[in-house]
Amino acid sequence: KAKAAKTGAAAPGGVNNAEVYRALLGRLLAGEQAAGKTIAVADFSYVDGRASIDGEVVAVRVATELIRMKDMRVVERKQLQKILAELNLQNTGVVDQASAKKLGRVLGADLLVVGSLDELPGKLLEVNLRLASVESGQAVSAASGQVQKDWL
């Protein structure tokens, strides 16, 4: 059963917004039994469908903070990208329920983080994260916040 979205205004700043991503992940994982599980992070996509490296940058930073938490196994992003390409999902930015289940089985992941981006004024991005159970393909948690777009 999906839980209500966890929201909060994560203040932009810091080296690569690390504390902002940690806060987002704290809200996303709150109440989840994620310790010891394997988690994969898919690239994020803009809600308006535009092509950009921004979704990859945000996904890499989310994965980096998950690794730093040290209580979950994080699927290597190159392995994830290879599987996404094989499933023809690499350019869509969309991972639906059936795709999440198939992706998780192939990767040996229990959980999948997917998300969307929306550009705001002042080089800010609204980041919306969803945590999906690979077993059911259902979203089990969500969180959102803002990050500073501090890359080129």
Side-chain angles (χ1 to χ4, degrees), residues 14-148:
V15 177
N16 295 334
N17 294 298
E19 70 277 1
V20 177
Y21 290 104
R22 272 193 299 276
L24 276 168
L25 288 168
R27 290 193 303 274
L28 183 69
L29 297 170
E32 296 302 319
Q33 304 297 331
K37 292 190 177 177
T38 300
I39 191 166
V41 181
D43 284 350
F44 293 23
S45 59
Y46 272 102
V47 294
D48 62 9
R50 76 178 107 152
S52 172
I53 65 159
D54 297 348
E56 182 179 353
V57 171
V58 171
V60 165
R61 291 181 179 184
V62 166
T64 297
E65 291 309 312
L66 284 167
I67 291 167
R68 287 180 178 159
M69 293 172 140
K70 298 192 185 290
D71 55 354
M72 291 166 277
R73 292 180 302 277
V74 180
V75 173
E76 174 56 43
R77 300 236 346 115
K78 286 184 182 182
Q79 182 183 6
L80 174 64
Q81 294 305 331
K82 179 182 174 193
I83 302 302
L84 286 171
E86 289 174 12
L87 296 176
N88 285 326
L89 298 172
Q90 76 274 19
N91 294 323
T92 67
V94 177
V95 180
D96 61 17
Q97 187 174 348
S99 299
K101 290 171 84 170
K102 187 184 295 183
L103 186 60
R105 278 195 308 274
V106 172
L107 292 171
D110 303 299
L111 300 167
L112 177 65
V113 177
V114 295
S116 62
L117 305 173
D118 197 10
E119 195 157 12
L120 303 172
K123 292 191 67 114
L124 288 175
L125 292 177
E126 179 180 337
V127 178
N128 295 289
L129 303 167
R130 289 175 306 287
L131 184 67
S133 164
V134 169
E135 183 179 323
S136 69
Q138 298 284 326
V140 295
S141 182
S144 63
Q146 296 176 359
V147 298
Q148 187 73 39

